[in-house]
Amino acid sequence: MADENLLAIEGLAVHYTVGGRLGMGKRLLKAVDGIDLAVEPGECLGLVGESGCGKSTLALAIMGLVAPTAGRIRVGGQDIGRDARPDRSVLAKTVQMVFQDPYASLNPRQTVRRTLADPLRLHGVSDKAEVEARVADMLAKVGLRPEHADRYPHEFSGGQRQRIGIARALILRPRLVICDEPVSALDVSIRAQIINLLLALKDEMGLAYIMISHDLGVVEHMSDRVAVMYLGRIVERGGWREIFEDPRHPYTRALIAAIPDPFRRDEKAARDKAKGEIASAIDPPAGCHFHPRCPLKQDRCVARSPTLGRVGEGHWAACHFADRAPARPDPVPA
C-alpha cells in the first residue's frame, strides 16, 4: 500500500483457540480473517457491521493490544505484527482510542486532572507548568471548564464523561483516533453534541478517525469512506456516497434497509432485509459467509467465496453478483 497512508493493513488475521480441555476439542474462532484496509491522514473511515463481526477486535489489533495471527499492520510508519516490536511510546502518540462506555472507561479514583496529566508525564512531559497548560487547553477543546479538572468521574453526566474520554485520547496529540461506538451509550439528545465535537476536533487538530458503529446514520454523517464488515471480512468498501446510494453487496443493502425511513415502501425494506442471525465465527458457512441470509443466494455462493472486486471508482464489493444493478433507493416525495 502507498507510503502516504497513515494506517495500512494487509492480509490481517486474528484467530483465537477456544473451548476444549487438556488439548482436546479445541476450535478456532476467526475474529478477523484476511483484511486489507487503509486510512489516509485527515480522513474518517467508517467501519460498520453487526455485533460479533470483528470490528472491535480489528480496533484492538491496530492499537497493538491484540497480537495478529497473520498479516501486517503499519501505523504511522511502525509495523505491528506477530514478530514486530513497535515502540509503544511512539505508537501511543500516533493512535489512541475513544471507548464505547464513558462510565466504565474512566478510573473512578482519579480526578480529571490526573486522568489527563498522567499520560503526559508517562511520555516525558516533566515540566509542571506545561502539563497544567496542556490539561487546561484540552479541557477547553472538549467543552469543559477549568474547575472540572479537580472533580471525579461520578460527578459528571454521561456526555461529560465521554468528553473527558475524548480529551484523554487526544492529550498526546495522536494522528489517528479509533472511536469504538462513541455515542451508543449516550442519550439521543447528547449524541449530536458529541458527534459535532468529534468533527470540530478533527478539523482543528488534523485528525484521522476510524468510526466504528452499528448506527449507519452516524457513519453517513461523519465518514469520508465506509468499510462494511461481516464475519471477520470486509465485504464492501468505498466512498460514503457510493455505499449509501449504490450499495453492491446484499449485506450492505440489508444494513441500509434497517435504517428507519418513513418514506421507504414496506415491500422494498422486506426485499433487502437479511434473514436470520449472523453465523458463528467458530463455524462460519462455506463459500460466501453471508449466503444463508442472502436473498440472491445461488449454488456458486455456497461453493466459492467471492473476493473483493472493483465495481466503480474507489468502490469494491465481495459478491458474485456485485455487477447486478441493485434497486435504487426510493425518492423522497416532493
Side-chain angles (χ1 to χ4, degrees), residues 93-113:
K93 294 176 183 178
T94 304
V95 57
Q96 285 289 331
M97 193 165 181
V98 176
F99 296 92
Q100 176 178 3
D101 188 351
Y103 295 92
S105 61
L106 298 175
N107 188 334
R109 297 177 181 271
Q110 289 187 350
T111 63
V112 172
R113 184 187 308 280

Side-chain angles (χ1 to χ4, degrees), residues 233-250:
R233 299 175 179 177
I234 300 297
V235 297
E236 187 164 6
R237 68 171 188 251
W240 73 266
R241 188 177 298 277
E242 286 73 27
I243 294 296
F244 283 92
E245 295 185 0
D246 188 20
R248 293 304 186 93
H249 196 283

Side-chain angles (χ1 to χ4, degrees), residues 26-264:
K26 291 185 177 180
R27 305 179 72 184
L28 199 62
L29 188 154
K30 299 180 179 181
V32 176
D33 192 26
I35 281 182
D36 296 327
L37 210 57
V39 177
E40 298 178 2
E43 80 164 336
C44 178
L45 173 71
L47 185 63
V48 303
E50 293 166 292
S51 297
C53 72
K55 304 187 301 297
S56 294
T57 300
L58 176 59
L60 293 174
I62 296 169
M63 292 288 297
L65 300 176
V66 170
T69 304
R72 178 189 182 194
I73 306 174
R74 190 167 179 83
V75 184
Q78 282 210 96
D79 283 326
I80 304 173
R82 292 185 63 184
D83 302 319
R85 296 292 182 268
D87 186 323
R88 291 290 172 181
S89 178
V90 174
L91 186 62
K93 294 176 183 178
T94 304
V95 57
Q96 285 289 331
M97 193 165 181
V98 176
F99 296 92
Q100 176 178 3
D101 188 351
Y103 295 92
S105 61
L106 298 175
N107 188 334
R109 297 177 181 271
Q110 289 187 350
T111 63
V112 172
R113 184 187 308 280
R114 184 176 173 188
T115 295
L116 300 185
D118 278 358
L120 293 172
R121 297 191 182 102
L122 183 63
H123 289 85
V125 183
S126 57
D127 183 77
K128 184 176 180 180
E130 182 180 355
V131 170
E132 290 295 314
R134 287 180 63 171
V135 168
D137 177 65
M138 189 53 62
L139 287 175
K141 285 183 185 298
V142 299
L144 296 174
R145 299 190 299 273
E147 59 266 28
H148 287 146
D150 295 312
R151 297 181 185 177
Y152 290 87
H154 73 270
E155 300 179 73
F156 296 93
S157 67
Q160 288 174 319
R161 291 189 199 192
Q162 195 60 296
R163 290 174 186 268
I164 297 167
I166 293 169
R168 179 181 58 185
L170 299 183
I171 194 69
L172 294 177
R173 299 169 182 167
R175 300 170 61 196
L176 173 65
V177 178
I178 302 173
C179 301
D180 190 1
E181 301 276 8
V183 298
S184 64
L186 303 178
D187 292 341
V188 174
S189 60
I190 304 300
R191 293 180 183 181
Q193 296 178 22
I194 299 301
I195 291 169
N196 289 334
L197 172 64
L198 288 169
L199 288 172
L201 290 169
K202 176 179 179 292
D203 292 338
E204 180 181 352
M205 301 180 68
L207 301 169
Y209 287 149
I210 296 177
M211 176 59 61
I212 299 174
S213 182
H214 65 273
D215 186 336
L216 269 69
V218 171
V219 171
E220 183 178 15
H221 185 65
M222 291 196 63
S223 301
D224 302 300
R225 292 188 301 118
V226 178
V228 182
M229 196 168 177
Y230 189 78
L231 272 185
R233 299 175 179 177
I234 300 297
V235 297
E236 187 164 6
R237 68 171 188 251
W240 73 266
R241 188 177 298 277
E242 286 73 27
I243 294 296
F244 283 92
E245 295 185 0
D246 188 20
R248 293 304 186 93
H249 196 283
Y251 180 60
T252 308
R253 294 203 286 273
L255 292 177
I256 294 172
I259 301 174
D261 184 353
F263 299 108
R264 185 175 55 224

Side-chain angles (χ1 to χ4, degrees), residues 84 300 323:
R300 75 175 78 173
D323 57 349

